[in-house]
Amino acid sequence: MITLYDITGKPPIKTGSPNVWKTRYVLNYKKLPHKTIFVEFPDIEDELKKAGIPPSGKKPDGVTPHYTCPSIIDDATGAVVSDSYKIAEYLDKAYPDTPKLFPPGTEALQAAFYDHFPQVLAPLWPIVLPRVPRVVMDERSAEHYIRMYSERFGMPLAQMEPVGEERVAAWAKVKAGFGQLDGWLSKSSGPFIMGDTVTFVDFVVASTLHSLRTLFGENSEEWRDIDGWNDGRWAGILKNLKEYASVEI
């Protein structure tokens, strides 16, 4: 059994961490039995330390260890792993008889895509970051999240979100980013980045889309925009990978 650490969500939303969806997709795709331990956002470091899980990297100061969800414990091997990319690499090696996330020959391409993907969608973050605490987090986690990011950016988190003409311009940049991504994907011979073969970065894209649909709301103007962009590509990705989008408690 694999234990997945996630952030407590605000009912009826089960998960408070958009990032964890990458690992959820992966575990479901590989059909690996797993359970979820939900923790409050301010308790992540203490809980992961208690479980013996390492930090996933450093905080912006470049010194302080950064503990994050998703993180996993694999009871079968005793492995403890943080960071969705490292988790995916580990699961491929530990469970070679399950569907591959990194088919031979795709490793370098997927690493490059993974590195550039957040840069292409960077215009989204000022719009969505302020929404995370108020949409998917319970009160205690939301307060900690807002305080942490307000300190990091040197302004109240709510002020990051563009309004009026600035929002119109920002949303145009978001659309352009999706257009650039669509240009990459249009080179594929199938519905996925590697044609008819599902790979890890397909789940990276799907987890982003799944999270955006949750954060904006399925009937929102923003999601209807995204849903209709690029000939319906984004709705198609979610539909093609829907069977792997479940939450095991």
Side-chain angles (χ1 to χ4, degrees):
M1 176 70 73
I2 292 172
T3 300
L4 171 65
Y5 283 80
D6 193 358
I7 299 171
T8 304
K10 180 168 64 176
I13 297 171
K14 294 179 179 178
T15 171
S17 172
N19 279 325
V20 175
W21 273 108
K22 301 171 191 175
T23 301
R24 290 197 181 281
Y25 271 113
V26 164
L27 290 168
N28 293 329
Y29 178 62
K30 287 181 169 288
K31 294 183 171 62
L32 293 173
H34 59 282
K35 65 180 180 180
T36 302
I37 291 181
F38 290 98
V39 299
E40 295 282 356
F41 189 70
D43 300 333
I44 291 174
E45 181 171 342
D46 288 344
E47 290 298 323
L48 295 189
K49 280 182 175 179
K50 190 186 305 180
I53 298 174
S56 59
K58 302 290 186 183
K59 291 186 177 181
D61 63 13
V63 177
T64 308
H66 191 35
Y67 291 83
T68 59
C69 295
S71 292
I72 65 165
I73 299 175
D74 188 347
D75 293 338
T77 65
V80 290
V81 190
S82 292
D83 181 79
S84 58
Y85 197 98
K86 293 177 182 176
I87 291 171
E89 290 182 313
Y90 162 76
L91 293 174
D92 257 9
K93 293 176 182 177
Y95 298 94
D97 295 330
T98 61
K100 287 286 187 184
L101 298 164
F102 298 93
T106 71
E107 298 91 344
L109 174 63
Q110 292 202 64
F113 186 98
Y114 189 79
D115 184 57
H116 282 83
F117 179 69
Q119 299 176 38
V120 171
L121 295 186
L124 261 175
W125 311 137
I127 298 173
V128 300
L129 281 178
R131 301 184 71 89
V132 171
R134 67 177 184 257
V135 175
V136 302
M137 289 183 167
D138 66 13
E139 185 176 356
R140 181 165 175 260
S141 290
E143 288 176 353
H144 185 84
Y145 183 100
I146 291 169
R147 183 168 59 253
M148 184 185 76
Y149 277 101
S150 296
E151 291 175 357
R152 181 175 299 181
F153 294 114
M155 68 172 69
L157 182 62
Q159 291 183 12
M160 281 187 58
E161 189 168 0
V163 296
E165 290 302 316
E166 287 186 5
R167 185 180 179 87
V168 171
W171 195 246
K173 291 180 180 179
V174 171
K175 183 177 181 180
F178 273 96
Q180 182 178 349
L181 184 59
D182 177 66
W184 296 352
L185 300 181
S186 66
K187 303 296 183 182
S188 172
S189 60
F192 307 114
I193 290 172
M194 301 303 298
D196 294 321
T197 302
V198 178
T199 59
F200 175 63
V201 290
D202 291 299
F203 293 127
V204 172
V205 175
S207 68
T208 300
L209 294 169
H210 189 286
S211 298
L212 290 176
R213 185 173 61 187
T214 300
L215 289 170
F216 288 125
E218 193 163 5
N219 296 317
S220 67
E221 180 180 352
E222 292 92 344
W223 180 250
R224 289 198 300 270
D225 271 354
I226 295 171
D227 197 29
W229 288 342
N230 309 117
D231 298 320
R233 178 184 294 281
W234 315 116
I237 289 175
L238 287 177
K239 181 179 179 180
N240 288 333
L241 298 175
K242 183 178 179 180
E243 65 181 296
Y244 311 118
S246 64
V247 177
E248 298 291 336
I249 305 301

